Each structure stands twice: as C-alpha cells, then as structure tokens.
Amino acid sequence: MERKDKLLKTLCRNFGRISTSTISDALDRLRIRGILSGFHSISTGAKIIGTAMTVKELSGDLGEYSLEDFRIGEVIDNAESGDVIILDNGGRKISNWGYLASLAAKLKGIRGVIVHGGVRDVEEIRRLNFPVFAEHIVPISGKTRIKIESINIPIRIQDVEIAPGDLVVADGTGIAIIPQEESLRVLQEAKHLEELERVLSSRTKRGASLSELSRKYKHM
C-alpha cells in the first residue's frame, strides 16, 4: 500500500506540471476517452490534480427526497486528503455544492470538486480559493431535490468512464480523466509531446515555417 501511495503521489506531481491540452493529445494517441467538456472553473487560474472519488446522484422536484438523502456531509467524511470529488447529477441545473461544503472539503485536504450539474455561492467559493469546476451556476438548492445514490462506484459522464482512484487533472482549458491502470503510459506520451512542443516552439521563434514543421514532425 505504501508503494502504491508513493507511486500515486509521483504521478500527481508529474501530471500537475502538464496542461490538459497536452494530456488530451496523449489520450488521443493512445485511443483513450478521457476528456470532459463544457465545465467551467469557478475561480480564475484554478487547477486540480488528484484521485477521483465518485458520487452518483438522483434528482427530482422540490420535496421529492428527504433532507437526509442529500448526504453531502457524508461524502466529505468519506473523502481522503488528495481526493477530487466528482458529483454526477446528470447535468441538472440544481446546486449540489456550495460554500460550506467547499470550506469543509478544503480543511480536509480535498484537492477540488467537479460537478456534473450546478453549484452556488460562487463569490464565497472564490474568496475561499478552493478549486470547483461545474457545468452550471445556479442558486437553486439541491436539498430535497437531490438524493445521493452511491459513493465510490464507477460512473459515466459524457461517455467517459470514471472509476474511483482514476487520476484527475483540471485547468482553465478542460478536465482530463486518466484511468489509473493507464496512467504511466499516458504520462510517458504526454512528456514526449511536451518535449516536441518545446522543440517546435524554439524553431518557430527562430523563424521556421509552421507548415514545414508540421510536415516534418507530423504534429499540429
């Protein structure tokens, strides 16, 4: 277990230096589906790198579920330092995350939150400087509208399979989900692409033609 934890920390440290654009190119080359689109960072410049803790939710009209069904506190209680909480509410325009949850999560060492749905209290979250990515910003509370169905089982968002423990990288460009069993291959490919980008950047600055570079390196 200690060896596995050390490997995860090393992977997170390495992926934390790589943009989601480069990771996306690496995933494409390896034919791995792992990019989530249409999510927005609540805070400018926020970046997340950590391991996925997955949450599947159901949603309905006001009063359809009980207050106890909301269970966001239980989600945070079950998360570990270094986790990224991924809440799957099917993209509904209902808030299932806000300031108090962000405060509790930050104090516990959770790396960030990704919401397939809505969040609120954005001004407070920005002041807290806690990374939250979501599809919608809405004031509508999820209490009695949302029921947490399961915690830490595989989920599927936008045709991307997400399993507990998968690596998550999110920045201003997008969100990348890297299957844990493929993480070393993806990292190796991403580092190769980064080096290629450095070469192309250097040669472009020296006056090389982008079209010539593209033909030579089969890139861009």
Side-chain angles (χ1 to χ4, degrees):
M1 179 63 72
E2 184 178 344
R3 184 178 179 183
K4 182 179 178 182
D5 289 343
K6 187 178 293 187
L7 175 61
L8 280 173
K9 287 180 181 178
T10 301
L11 286 168
C12 286
R13 185 166 60 250
N14 279 278
F15 275 114
R17 303 187 185 108
I18 302 173
S19 71
T20 56
S21 296
T22 300
I23 294 171
S24 178
D25 289 347
L27 291 170
D28 280 349
R29 288 191 172 206
L30 296 172
R31 298 292 190 268
I32 298 171
R33 192 184 296 272
I35 298 298
L36 301 179
S37 59
F39 288 75
H40 309 284
S41 173
I42 299 304
S43 302
T44 303
K47 182 159 186 174
I48 296 176
I49 172 68
T51 50
M53 177 194 183
T54 57
V55 181
K56 180 66 178 176
E57 299 176 323
L58 301 173
S59 60
D61 296 326
L62 180 66
E64 188 161 339
Y65 302 112
S66 70
L67 284 172
E68 290 74 20
D69 287 328
F70 196 50
R71 295 169 58 199
I72 287 296
E74 182 181 336
V75 170
I76 297 169
D77 289 344
N78 280 277
E80 298 179 359
S81 177
D83 278 349
V84 178
I85 297 174
I86 303 179
L87 299 163
D88 178 15
N89 188 30
R92 290 287 303 276
K93 293 181 179 179
I94 301 171
S95 172
N96 49 8
W97 193 266
Y99 167 72
L100 286 176
S102 295
L103 176 61
K106 181 176 183 177
L107 291 173
K108 192 165 184 182
I110 293 165
R111 296 290 181 87
V113 174
I114 295 169
V115 181
H116 183 33
V119 301
R120 63 181 191 171
D121 303 335
V122 294
E123 289 82 5
E124 293 89 342
I125 293 173
R126 285 170 183 157
R127 286 196 291 269
L128 189 60
N129 197 28
F130 180 71
V132 176
F133 289 70
E135 286 182 299
H136 311 295
I137 296 173
V138 292
I140 302 168
S141 174
K143 293 175 182 176
T144 77
R145 290 185 174 96
I146 288 176
K147 176 180 180 179
I148 290 179
E149 184 178 29
S150 57
I151 299 173
N152 262 342
I153 67 163
I155 59 175
R156 185 182 182 90
I157 299 176
Q158 298 177 357
D159 291 329
V160 175
E161 300 285 350
I162 309 170
D166 284 348
L167 292 178
V168 182
V169 182
D171 59 23
T173 300
I175 298 169
I177 307 296
I178 304 157
Q180 194 175 71
E181 66 274 12
E182 299 283 4
S183 55
L184 288 174
R185 281 209 309 151
V186 176
L187 180 60
Q188 183 178 24
E189 188 65 36
K191 283 187 171 182
H192 167 72
L193 290 171
E194 274 199 321
E195 180 58 33
L196 181 57
E197 288 282 343
R198 280 192 286 269
V199 170
L200 294 174
S201 176
S202 175
R203 297 197 175 186
T204 299
K205 289 175 181 177
R206 295 202 301 267
S209 162
L210 279 179
S211 58
E212 291 175 2
L213 291 173
S214 179
R215 285 193 297 271
K216 180 177 181 179
Y217 291 96
K218 302 295 189 293
H219 193 59
M220 298 178 294

